[in-house]
């Protein structure tokens, strides 16, 4: 049973134009608390239950009942027939009611009207007919309602609204609310109840109220599709509605309410023939929007649909599974170490069932990793599917790679790409392919909008300047010179690095990511937080090298075996030096270990997590409040995701703090001492760091604090905004990541 009326807050008036007091809000507030609902209206339409069915089901689950008095909507022919006595009045009334019984437009309407038919047949909803003594010249047009909870508290309403979908959703209507436990309202509530009871007993002067068995029979005959034995197993949502009795039919959960921007994205995608892209910032509900789209597509196809969800990593698959099951879907979970050891058998059986028993087994959902999706077995099963397939690709920027693209073909009539940043860094061909294959962008919801609309938390940004050591700068310049020897023209005439040049670019980027001075900078910046919680330190997948002291290190191409991994060095600083409770979060930890770490972090048993790249995509730890980002990247996809990871909403988190370690070749006050050629060698790194500095600071709460630093760097290197944000100057800069 819901709350008692006396525990609720009712408005004195509900009116269509009021943002927070619309008629539907009243019904969904009062009916879950109700044992008896008495309603008298001029006209009744079955479609009203499309609007208030959530509340009606709550009434039923309370073992409540509804009594309805209504009247037929007579047209001119009906009135003429009554005047001339051509037909019995009961037949005229019945035909008038039948006109209001419209054919359901969707499977959702069909399901909801099936509920109403069951309510009538089971005696939960009783209907009586009210007509005036001269129905050919007058009509019953009163609108009153009375609600009673389990302790006898009563609420009455009186106003203009009929019991119809149009009245509730479209007309401009209003009604007054009176609470029987309030002295000022008690008399009006009692009068309302007396009036209704008098009509129900057919004791009202000027009015005839009678049982009309033909109406319930007609309603049940038209709308009842199946028995509902247990209303507790019936689920209805507020939008994109569905009713769920059997498992593995997608439906929006009762406790999920999609935002308007999510609903619009889904509608736009449906209008685009169920193809398109959801370009949504991390933390704005991308997964739930995708699942809402699956529900919409499945409903349109009467649940005759195979859904293939592909995510890049195993932990993302498991996160999808958590939400998928909430949407009443029983997924087949396919990857090498899946807990469903028999997933291959399940998939093969589902494909066969869809072919042989489409009415019963027309829907199934496979959720899998990128790697497993591309296997021969999975591709063979997909080729065997009969009927329509919806392909949903999460973190879809990964699908633009050459090895993945060949699997994206015409087999998938319905397509949905999900990504915070679909455009692939330095891969125009791959980006264009994704846009051509998946279709237009149905929603672009970036971080700035998400913060403005309070879907993500605000943040303060603190750039921390660090500089390369002499040895690091020397290595950086040597590699840059070697990269210049490996530039080639591609098919479109643009300069790009060959395969060896790309390896050199990775080697060079690791020098920046693992700059030794970042560790001293971290020691200094994290001191004020050593007693605090909810801290993330984001490391690069690199090593921190000591000063050159051997021929072995001098001659090593990739010094990953030399020195100490940055993540280990950072863990020692926090754990050993500062005595903080800390844990690493990397690809080396299995899914269960990660879950344990995440829970301990949320419970503040751990002060800090030290992570590397695996946190870029999909891992959800909303309690992170302060982030120290040591990993340097020029890839917008990566730094946008890293920032979004810190901005998820969390109770008590008014804003987040981000410390970003900006790495420059040399101290700014010394730049003027170097030659133009030497400075030109610095520009690639400086511009890349400046772009990230601009991006992070422009929507920060303390944006003004970064402006002087930005100006100081640009002035020292004589870099204009046009130089910074114009076209890339060449492949050397493009492949600095």
């Amino acid at each position: 049973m819901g709350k008692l009326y006396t525990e609720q807050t009712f408005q004195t008036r509900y009116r269509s134009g009021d943002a927070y007091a619309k008629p539907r809000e009243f019904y969904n507030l009062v009916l879950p608390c109700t044992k008896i609902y008495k309603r008298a209206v001029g006209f009744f339409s079955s479609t009203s239950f499309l609007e208030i069915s959530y509340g009606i089901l709550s009434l039923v689950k309370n073992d409540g009942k509804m009594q309805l008095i209504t009247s037929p909507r007579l047209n001119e022919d009906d009135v003429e027939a009554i005047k001339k006595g051509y037909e019995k009045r009961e037949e005229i009334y019945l035909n008038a009611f039948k006109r209001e019984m419209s054919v359901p437009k969707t499977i959702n309407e069909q399901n909801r009207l099936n509920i109403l038919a069951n309510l009538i047949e089971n005696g939960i909803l009783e209907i009586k007919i009210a007509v005036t003594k001269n129905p050919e010249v007058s009509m019953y047009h009163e609108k009153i309602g009375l609600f009673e909870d389990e302790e006898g508290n009563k609420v009455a309403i009186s106003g203009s609204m009929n019991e119809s979908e149009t009245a509730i959703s479209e007309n401009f209507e209003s009604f007054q609310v009176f609470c029987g436990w309030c002295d000022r309202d008690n008399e009006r509530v009692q009068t309302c109840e007396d009036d209704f009871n008098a009509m129900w007993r057919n004791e009202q002067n000027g009015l005839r109220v009678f049982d009309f068995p033909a109406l319930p029979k007609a309603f049940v005959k038209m709308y009842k599709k199946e028995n509902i034995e247990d209303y507790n197993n019936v689920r209805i949502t507020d939008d994109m509605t569905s009713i769920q009795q059997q498992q593995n039919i997608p439906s929006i959960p009762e406790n999920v309410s999609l935002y308007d921007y999510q609903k619009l994205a889904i509608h736009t995608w449906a209008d685009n023939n169920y193809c398109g892209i959801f370009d949504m910032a991390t933390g704005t509900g991308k997964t739930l929007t995708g699942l809402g789209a699956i529900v919409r597509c499945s409903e349109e196809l009467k649940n005759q649909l195979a859904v293939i969800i592909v995510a890049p990593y195993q932990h993302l698959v498991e996160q999808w599974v958590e939400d998928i099951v909430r949407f009443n879907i029983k997924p087949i979970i396919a990857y090498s170490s899946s807990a469903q050891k028999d997933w291959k058998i399940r998939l093969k059986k589902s494909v066969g069932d869809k072919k042989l028993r489409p009415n019963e087994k027309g829907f199934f959902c496979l959720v899998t990793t990128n790697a497993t999706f591309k296997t021969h077995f999975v591709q063979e099963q997909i080729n065997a599917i009969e009927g329509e397939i919806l392909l949903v690709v999460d973190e879809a920027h990964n699908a633009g790679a050459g090895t993945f693209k060949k699997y994206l073909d015409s087999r998938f009539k319905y397509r949905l790409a999900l990504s915070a940043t679909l455009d692939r860094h330095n891969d125009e061909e791959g980006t264009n392919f994704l846009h051509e294959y998946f279709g237009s962008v149905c929603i672009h919801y970036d971080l700035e909008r998400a913060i403005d609309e309070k879907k993500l938390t605000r943040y303060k940004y603190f750039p921390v300047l660090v500089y390369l050591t002499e040895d690091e700068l020397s290595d950086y310049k040597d590699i840059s010179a070697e990269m210049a020897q490996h530039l080639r023209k591609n098919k479109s005439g643009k300069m790009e690095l060959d395969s060896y040049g790309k390896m050199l670019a990775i080697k060079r980027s690791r020098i920046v990511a693992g700059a030794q001075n970042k560790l001293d900078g971290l020691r200094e910046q994290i001191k004020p937080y050593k007693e605090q919680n909810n801290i993330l330190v984001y490391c690069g997948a690199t090593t921190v090298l000591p000063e050159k002291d051997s021929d072995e290190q001098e001659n090593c191409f990739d010094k990953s075996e030399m020195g100490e991994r940055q993540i280990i060095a950072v863990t020692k600083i926090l754990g050993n030096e500062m005595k903080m409770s800390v844990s690493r979060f990397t690809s080396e930890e299995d899914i269960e270990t990660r879950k344990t770490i995440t829970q301990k972090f949320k419970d503040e048993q751990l002060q800090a997590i030290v992570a590397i790249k695996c946190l870029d995509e999909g891992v959800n730890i909303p309690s992170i409040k302060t982030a120290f980002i040591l990993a340097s990247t020029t890839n917008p996809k990566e730094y946008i995701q890293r920032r979004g990871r810190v901005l998820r909403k969390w109770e008590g988190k008014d804003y987040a703090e981000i410390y970003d370690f900006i790495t420059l070749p040399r101290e700014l006050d010394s730049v003027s001492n170097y030659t133009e050629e030497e400075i030109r060698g610095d520009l690639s790194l400086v511009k890349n760091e400046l772009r990230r500095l601009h991006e992070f600071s422009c929507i920060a709460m303390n944006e003004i604090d970064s402006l002087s630093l930005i100006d100081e760097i640009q002035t020292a290197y004589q870099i204009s905004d046009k130089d910074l944000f114009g076209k890339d100057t060449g492949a050397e800069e493009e492949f600095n990541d």
Side-chain angles (χ1 to χ4, degrees), residues 681-696:
D682 294 352
L683 289 179
S684 173
L685 173 57
V686 174
K687 286 183 180 180
N688 285 327
E689 296 293 277
L690 267 174
R691 290 188 184 107
R692 192 175 76 252
L693 179 52
H694 269 281
E695 173 68 27
F696 272 63

Side-chain angles (χ1 to χ4, degrees), residues 212-224:
F212 191 36
L215 173 59
K217 289 178 181 178
F219 203 101
V220 170
K221 181 178 180 181
M222 182 168 183
Y223 292 127
K224 185 179 176 184

Side-chain angles (χ1 to χ4, degrees), residues 188-207:
R188 299 192 70 165
V189 172
Q190 189 60 53
T191 299
C192 177
E193 183 175 24
D194 291 344
D195 289 346
F196 183 91
N197 290 341
M199 287 189 291
W200 192 257
R201 296 191 300 265
N202 193 27
E203 295 174 356
Q204 179 65 54
N205 291 335
L207 202 63

Side-chain angles (χ1 to χ4, degrees), residues 314 317-318 321 331-344 346 367 369 591-592 595:
Q314 294 179 13
V317 168
E318 292 300 327
V321 169
I332 302 162
I333 308 167
Y335 60 87
S336 57
S337 57
S338 170
Q340 285 186 357
K341 303 301 182 185
D342 62 342
W343 68 262
K344 290 185 178 182
R346 295 184 187 215
V367 56
T369 60
I591 290 175
E592 290 306 314
K595 287 181 179 178

Side-chain angles (χ1 to χ4, degrees), residues 311-485:
Y313 309 119
Q314 294 179 13
H315 70 269
L316 288 186
V317 168
E318 292 300 327
Q319 287 184 186
W320 267 94
V321 169
E322 290 178 10
D323 287 317
I324 288 170
V325 296
R326 294 170 62 199
F327 281 66
N328 201 61
I329 299 171
K330 297 172 66 177
I332 302 162
I333 308 167
Y335 60 87
S336 57
S337 57
S338 170
Q340 285 186 357
K341 303 301 182 185
D342 62 342
W343 68 262
K344 290 185 178 182
I345 297 172
R346 295 184 187 215
L347 177 57
K348 194 168 185 177
K349 184 176 186 302
S350 294
V351 172
D353 284 346
K354 182 171 174 57
K355 177 180 179 180
L356 299 174
R357 304 163 61 194
N359 291 333
E360 301 172 44
K361 303 286 185 178
F363 177 89
F364 75 85
C365 174
L366 169 73
V367 56
T368 185
T369 60
N370 289 4
T372 302
F373 172 74
K374 294 184 291 184
T375 61
H376 175 73
F377 175 79
V378 171
Q379 289 298 311
E380 185 179 51
Q381 296 308 308
I382 291 174
N383 288 335
I385 294 173
E386 292 193 2
E388 307 297 359
I389 309 174
L390 166 60
L391 176 67
V392 180
V393 180
D394 192 18
E395 305 295 351
H397 43 271
N398 295 296
T403 56
F404 201 109
K405 288 189 292 185
K406 66 180 182 179
Y407 298 100
L408 303 181
D409 51 36
S410 59
R411 292 173 298 174
F412 308 107
K413 180 177 179 180
Y414 305 114
R415 306 164 187 174
L416 177 59
L418 307 175
S419 181
T421 47
L422 188 71
D423 292 353
R424 290 176 55 78
H425 186 50
N426 297 324
D427 183 7
E428 184 178 350
E429 180 183 346
T431 298
N432 290 338
F433 170 81
L434 292 174
H435 283 277
E436 289 172 5
Y437 183 77
F438 286 101
S440 59
V441 175
C442 301
I443 179 174
H444 175 68
Y445 199 92
D446 60 17
L447 280 173
E448 183 173 8
R449 179 181 170 188
I451 293 170
D452 287 344
E453 296 182 2
K454 303 187 187 311
K455 302 302 183 296
L456 294 177
T457 190
R458 304 172 300 160
Y459 69 95
K460 292 182 179 181
Y461 178 61
F462 304 101
V464 181
L465 274 189
V466 296
Y467 303 98
L468 296 178
T469 65
E470 289 186 12
D471 288 341
E472 288 168 343
L473 181 57
S474 176
D475 286 344
Y476 184 90
K477 289 184 176 297
D478 289 345
I479 295 171
S480 296
E482 191 175 0
M483 285 170 61
Q485 306 303 313

